[in-house]
Amino acid sequence: MTQAQQTVNLPSSVFTGLTEVSEIAATGNVLGVINYTTECTDPRVENGQLRLDLHMAATDSEAFAEVWTTARPVETGEHHGAVYAHDGEYLLVAGRIAPTGRYTEDTRAAYVAALDLMDTLGYKNCFRMWNFINDINADNTEGLEIYRDFCKGRAEAFELFHFGDKEVPSATGIGSQGGGIAFYFLASRSAALTSVENSKQMAAYHYPRQYGPRPPKFARATYLAATHTDRRSGQLYVAGTASIRGHETLHDGDIVKQVELSLDNIEHLISDENLADYEITQGNSLLNLDNIKVYVRHRSDIPAVRKMCEERFSPNARVQYLNVDVCRADLLVEIEGIVA
Ligand code: 3EB
């Protein structure tokens, strides 16, 4: 089976473009492969690489793989259910929580395992988290929406690790087609990180109580550079971004306007105007965004969403469109990417 692939280069990586996993493995080192595919499995080590299968595709033809590469030799292992691969500078760690009637405790425990691993191995600079949540808008057995249940466990784990709001990395919290909850994190040993907020959106960790007992804890973007004085050539990891201004969803039921506002939010987030607060100057526009994922709630909206995105992204950008639910019932689309 040939799958489309999205290859993301860590700053140490030597690879670009779409490449077969086998070719990458032959010419360099793979930290891990995240399969956006038709079923979910527990994370595992395979051929000395981390593997995580996410249920994010309805058919094999929609499946793709995200490959995290490095120029250095890779070591792998498992820590209280968290599976990891690291190269001395970067750590990729993945976990999974089996379907359950209430996710708070299992989420907290799985996050604690991954955070504890980062502490133990000395990868203390976590710069990106992805979370895939089946039945994200359904109620758990206690009547709490599963996304809010997850947010509760995540907030408790961060609290246990004294992970302050300003230190949390950019993240994606999105629906999946099955398999409970799966997640993967990227962390660095020595990179200098800056958490970036969007001046037109409320920080997610300040969202009011109406969105759940504990707010979602993530940054709008994380700027990753070799040193704190490099305010120009770092990578910018853009969190999942939706049609939200302040803390409110705008354009309920209007896919065109939701896509526009999501794109406008990213455009502003990565602009020098917004980054000035952090003394970062990159001259970015949406044309600099790559390794993009566009999550669309209704499959029938994908052609229109694709058309709008193609008008604003670079023709060379790698973009994947996925059909999954989004973390608020009134959100129809969410978009993430990397400025590298
Ligand atoms: C939002 O802005 C939209 O819970 O980790 C985006 C990115 C969203 C990450 C998360 C949620 C998360 O609130 C949803």
Side-chain angles (χ1 to χ4, degrees):
M1 179 175 65
T2 310
Q3 291 188 347
Q5 285 174 30
Q6 212 152 276
T7 302
V8 181
N9 297 298
L10 295 172
S12 61
S13 168
V14 292
F15 294 102
T16 57
L18 297 172
T19 317
E20 288 295 320
V21 176
S22 55
E23 282 175 40
I24 296 170
T27 49
N29 299 304
V30 173
L31 211 49
V33 178
I34 313 298
N35 289 309
Y36 286 73
T37 186
T38 53
E39 61 179 345
C40 185
T41 59
D42 288 341
R44 64 193 182 278
V45 173
E46 215 176 272
N47 302 322
Q49 306 165 359
L50 172 66
R51 297 284 162 125
L52 176 65
D53 294 345
L54 303 168
H55 192 168
M56 297 293 284
T59 62
D60 282 348
S61 64
E62 284 177 13
F64 67 95
E66 183 182 83
V67 183
W68 294 92
T69 62
T70 168
R72 281 185 276 266
V74 173
E75 277 180 42
T76 56
E78 195 245 291
H79 178 80
H80 301 296
V83 178
Y84 63 91
H86 65 121
D87 70 354
E89 181 52 41
Y90 294 102
L91 170 78
L92 176 64
V93 53
R96 184 180 169 213
I97 301 148
T100 178
R102 155 183 168 120
Y103 281 103
T104 305
E105 288 75 19
D106 290 356
T107 300
R108 186 176 63 220
Y111 258 65
V112 161
L115 297 173
D116 186 53
L117 175 76
M118 296 191 299
D119 271 0
T120 303
L121 294 182
Y123 293 87
K124 292 179 189 269
N125 309 311
C126 185
F127 57 94
R128 189 65 167 89
M129 295 179 161
W130 283 266
N131 303 285
F132 304 90
I133 304 163
N134 184 221
D135 286 329
I136 190 166
N137 302 130
D139 282 354
N140 72 4
T141 50
E142 292 164 352
L144 181 66
E145 188 189 40
I146 288 176
Y147 174 62
R148 299 174 182 205
D149 188 4
F150 160 79
C151 283
K152 202 158 161 262
R154 173 172 57 180
E156 291 178 6
F158 284 162
E159 219 160 62
L160 286 169
F161 277 77
H162 308 286
F163 216 142
D165 285 349
K166 298 249 155 96
E167 293 158 6
V168 294
S170 54
T172 292
I174 197 73
S176 73
Q177 296 181 20
I181 297 178
F183 62 82
Y184 62 101
F185 304 166
L186 281 168
S188 159
R189 273 203 175 137
S190 68
L193 306 185
T194 307
S195 295
V196 172
E197 289 301 314
N198 185 327
S199 63
K200 298 187 180 187
Q201 295 187 287
M202 180 183 287
Y205 46 80
H206 288 151
Y207 284 169
R209 181 76 174 70
Q210 73 198 76
Y211 300 103
R214 300 296 304 267
K217 302 261 182 170
F218 67 93
R220 298 292 172 192
T222 304
Y223 176 77
L224 178 149
T227 66
H228 279 290
T229 51
D230 178 358
R231 309 314 278 171
R232 189 173 293 274
S233 64
Q235 297 186 329
L236 200 51
Y237 288 81
V238 175
T241 303
S243 181
I244 296 174
R245 276 284 156 94
H247 61 77
E248 282 172 329
T249 299
L250 298 190
H251 312 306
D252 190 5
D254 187 335
I255 184 67
V256 169
K257 288 196 166 147
Q258 286 209 11
V259 172
E260 272 172 9
L261 185 57
S262 302
L263 293 170
D264 290 348
N265 275 336
I266 297 179
E267 189 170 57
H268 178 70
L269 172 71
I270 67 176
S271 71
D272 283 351
E273 182 192 345
N274 188 62
L275 297 179
D277 285 354
Y278 311 91
E279 291 165 359
I280 298 166
T281 314
Q282 293 198 303
N284 295 318
S285 74
L286 282 178
L287 295 173
N288 299 100
L289 196 68
D290 198 0
N291 290 296
I292 299 163
K293 296 192 199 93
V294 182
Y295 304 97
V296 183
R297 180 183 292 275
H298 301 301
R299 177 174 297 279
S300 57
D301 285 335
I302 291 180
V305 172
R306 184 191 299 269
K307 187 161 177 292
M308 294 179 71
C309 287
E310 283 174 354
E311 282 170 9
R312 294 184 62 182
F313 295 148
S314 161
N316 300 318
R318 289 160 286 194
V319 190
Q320 296 290 346
Y321 297 85
L322 302 97
N323 173 221
V324 285
D325 291 336
V326 184
C327 68
R328 288 185 189 176
D330 51 11
L331 288 174
L332 300 173
V333 65
E334 186 173 306
I335 304 173
E336 62 169 62
I338 303 170
V339 178

